[in-house]
Amino acid sequence: MIHVEGLTKYYDDFCAVDHIDLDIKGGEIVGLLGPNGAGKTTTLRMLTGYFQPSAGDIQVKTHSIYENALAIKRLIGYLPESAPLYKSMIVYDYLDHVARIRGMSGEVKQRRIVELADMCALRGIMHKTIDTLSKGLKQRVGLAHAMMSDPEILILDEPTSGLDPNQIVEIREIIKKIGREKTVILSTHILSEAEATCDRIVIINKGRIIADGSTQQLTASKDGECQIQLGLMGVAAEEVVARLQTVPGVSRAMALGSDTPGIVRCSVVSRADRDIRPDLYAAVKATDWVLVELSQETRNLETIFRELTRE
Amino acid sequence: MRQALLIFSKEFKDYFVSPIAYIVIAVFLIVTGWLFFSTFFIFDQADMRRFFNLLPFVFALVVPIITMRLFSEEINVGSYELLLTLPVTFRDIIIGKFLAAVAFAGAILVPTLSYAIFISAVGDLDWGATLGGYLGAILLAGAYAAIGLFASSLTRNQIIACIVAMVICVTLAIIDQMLFFFPQTILDVITFISASAHFNNIAKGIVDSRDLLYFVSVAFLGLYATHLSMEEK
């Protein structure tokens, strides 16, 4: 559906997007993740044709942005960050204007506006000036704008930023509903959001793609290792490390600094394909140490994200 | 072209939503009405020459106020991004916005038709010259609007857009009265770039292709520069 090759964007000397290659299939919900200033918005803006890339090519279906940008714009519905709509217009007039520009008229246009009003829950605010709407409502009008032509590709730049938790859930529901049939690309720096809505996550940092895959793939343990932390009382750290290293399956054991006096903390690394927690427990049980903590470190998206994007 | 018309109708309606439009109309009518009629009975001539003579200068101040928001506001609010990601070309956008500004300038002139009607009631008005004057006024507004549109496409600040456009338009309007500053050799050139000189010809009722060409060229240059400025972004 979308094929991006060597996409690069310079702002004067600053390289915002650095040779991005990306293939997006139809029907995927792709989350573009990254810290602020990573190049998410710039990438999306190039996809939507608002910015010209400094280098590289974007192909949507069979169209290239250099040859037929207009055809691509017809295929894409776009909601920029914080929905910058025409403030002085009434919601209905605005949607009507967009529908006309999208080439609709008469009965078809009317029906589509009503459909979208229901879908984005805009019925009660159709007569209001956009200026007077709250951020969440504006976002929903923006979403209606993006979906006006029932586009095959929907691009949303931080669709839930600045919304309250209820609104976030509403918007996510809408996105998921659309994502069943359409290709959706959304950018966010809220990790739980990406986890909750996206089939595939692309992490960008400093203009480069540093990770790409489903949440499961990304959170699968790094280098096939898994970490277990233990907290023990009534024993010295060296003794614990020496003992635990002899437990079958343990590849490394090390003492960690303790912040509570009397409690020794240590970390054990093992192969990921084997759960060694029962063995560790048995080893500790054979002594007179007191076990106060035994936990396997779960790698969620947040840890991955921090590992990958840390300076 | 359809897209350009849609943008035109949106922009034209927008003028009448904001209070600025009504303020501009009121100020324009008060200023021109006062300047025109304060000497009208002294000259004791039943024509509108003196009214049209005001236009190059007054429009140089009014048209930039009309055009200043066309791009600057969109760039500032961010709706420019939405506009450009809709299936419209730069040309549609420019033509739509340009026509809206010219149409609004035309709308400002509509109430002044009443001057013509009153004058024709008290004396023998030359309708040919009067209509020529209105035609010239529209052409003049077109040239200024294209300059204003270009200024607006340069910046997100409406005030800057307005002042830049005013400076260029006022220069075109008054440059033929500043001829004594220029060396003899370029006087012809200076006279030719003066909007007032061309406008006054048309306002006399003489529609000469040279004058038409002047206004069309200025408008085209302004719009083309706007196109370049949009591409640059």
Side-chain angles (χ1 to χ4, degrees), chain A residues 45 48 50 70 73-74 78 80 84-86 89 94 97 100-104 145, chain B residues 2-3 6 10 14 17 74 77-89:
Chain A
R45 282 180 169 174
T48 55
Y50 178 51
L70 215 57
K73 285 178 187 177
R74 283 199 195 96
Y78 177 43
L85 310 164
Y86 291 122
M89 287 176 101
Y94 181 73
H97 173 64
R100 283 170 198 271
I101 288 199
R102 289 279 185 188
M104 289 177 233
H145 159 109
Chain B
R2 189 185 124 85
Q3 309 291 60
L6 288 171
K10 186 235 148 217
D14 259 12
V17 174
E74 296 227 30
V77 173
S79 53
Y80 190 61
E81 189 173 352
L82 279 179
L83 180 64
L84 286 193
T85 49
L86 285 170
V88 290
T89 59

Side-chain angles (χ1 to χ4, degrees), chain B residues 155-170:
Chain B
T155 166
R156 61 169 60 214
N157 185 326
Q158 294 194 36
I159 306 294
I160 294 175
C162 181
I163 290 172
V164 169
M166 272 185 188
V167 168
I168 302 173
C169 293
V170 169

Side-chain angles (χ1 to χ4, degrees), chain A residues 117-192:
Chain A
D118 287 336
M119 195 183 219
C120 304
L122 299 175
R123 276 199 175 254
I125 56 160
M126 281 308 231
H127 61 285
K128 290 198 176 159
T129 317
I130 290 176
D131 213 9
T132 63
L133 301 179
S134 70
K135 210 169 170 192
L137 290 176
K138 259 186 219 163
Q139 202 77 11
R140 283 195 281 188
V141 177
L143 208 54
H145 159 109
M147 293 194 294
M148 183 55 78
S149 59
D150 200 13
E152 293 182 44
I153 301 163
L154 199 61
I155 296 184
L156 311 168
D157 194 0
E158 310 220 347
T160 58
S161 77
L163 303 186
D164 71 35
N166 292 333
Q167 293 168 328
I168 291 181
V169 173
E170 283 173 28
I171 297 272
R172 267 188 212 160
E173 288 306 314
I174 297 177
I175 293 172
K176 275 189 173 170
K177 205 157 55 178
I178 306 162
R180 278 181 217 137
E181 297 145 37
K182 316 278 176 197
T183 309
V184 181
I185 304 172
L186 60 92
S187 82
T188 179
H189 51 243
I190 306 165
L191 299 152
S192 57

Side-chain angles (χ1 to χ4, degrees), chain B residues 15-215:
Chain B
Y15 276 122
F16 294 93
V17 174
S18 81
I20 293 176
Y22 298 100
I23 296 170
V24 169
I25 294 177
V27 171
F28 172 77
L29 291 176
I30 291 169
V31 170
T32 54
W34 179 67
L35 287 175
F36 176 43
F37 281 106
S38 60
T39 57
F40 179 72
F41 293 103
I42 300 171
F43 283 99
D44 201 25
Q45 277 172 341
D47 66 21
M48 287 185 68
R49 278 271 289 284
R50 250 155 255 293
F51 167 72
F52 288 123
N53 284 342
L54 295 170
L55 283 186
F57 189 73
V58 175
F59 263 8
L61 301 178
V62 168
V63 173
I65 297 175
I66 298 174
T67 55
M68 66 180 182
R69 52 168 277 277
L70 288 173
F71 278 108
S72 301
E73 193 183 28
E74 296 227 30
I75 297 170
N76 194 27
V77 173
S79 53
Y80 190 61
E81 189 173 352
L82 279 179
L83 180 64
L84 286 193
T85 49
L86 285 170
V88 290
T89 59
F90 286 173
R91 208 172 51 194
D92 294 331
I93 297 171
I94 292 170
I95 291 175
K97 284 177 184 283
F98 170 72
L99 289 181
V102 177
F104 185 71
I108 286 182
L109 285 172
V110 170
T112 66
L113 287 172
S114 62
Y115 302 173
I117 293 164
F118 286 130
I119 293 169
S120 69
V122 295
D124 187 19
L125 181 73
D126 180 354
W127 278 101
T130 308
L131 291 180
Y134 278 108
L135 172 72
I138 296 294
L139 289 170
L140 183 72
Y144 285 175
I147 293 167
L149 203 61
F150 170 59
S152 185
S153 74
L154 293 176
T155 166
R156 61 169 60 214
N157 185 326
Q158 294 194 36
I159 306 294
I160 294 175
C162 181
I163 290 172
V164 169
M166 272 185 188
V167 168
I168 302 173
C169 293
V170 169
T171 307
L172 291 182
I174 62 173
I175 201 165
D176 66 332
Q177 283 151 39
M178 306 232 157
L179 294 179
F180 50 88
F181 287 121
F182 297 98
Q184 189 93 43
T185 43
I186 59 165
L187 279 190
D188 282 348
V189 180
I190 300 294
T191 323
F192 188 79
I193 64 166
S194 152
S196 304
H198 293 281
F199 176 75
N200 290 339
N201 285 343
I202 299 181
K204 277 179 216 152
I206 310 161
V207 181
D208 187 325
S209 57
R210 268 177 304 182
D211 303 322
L212 292 180
L213 195 67
Y214 169 79
F215 286 113

Side-chain angles (χ1 to χ4, degrees), chain A residues 221-238:
Chain A
S221 48
K222 193 169 98 186
D223 314 325
E225 284 186 338
C226 124
Q227 261 193 18
I228 296 167
Q229 283 200 18
L230 291 108
L232 295 156
M233 281 171 86
V235 68
E238 301 78 38

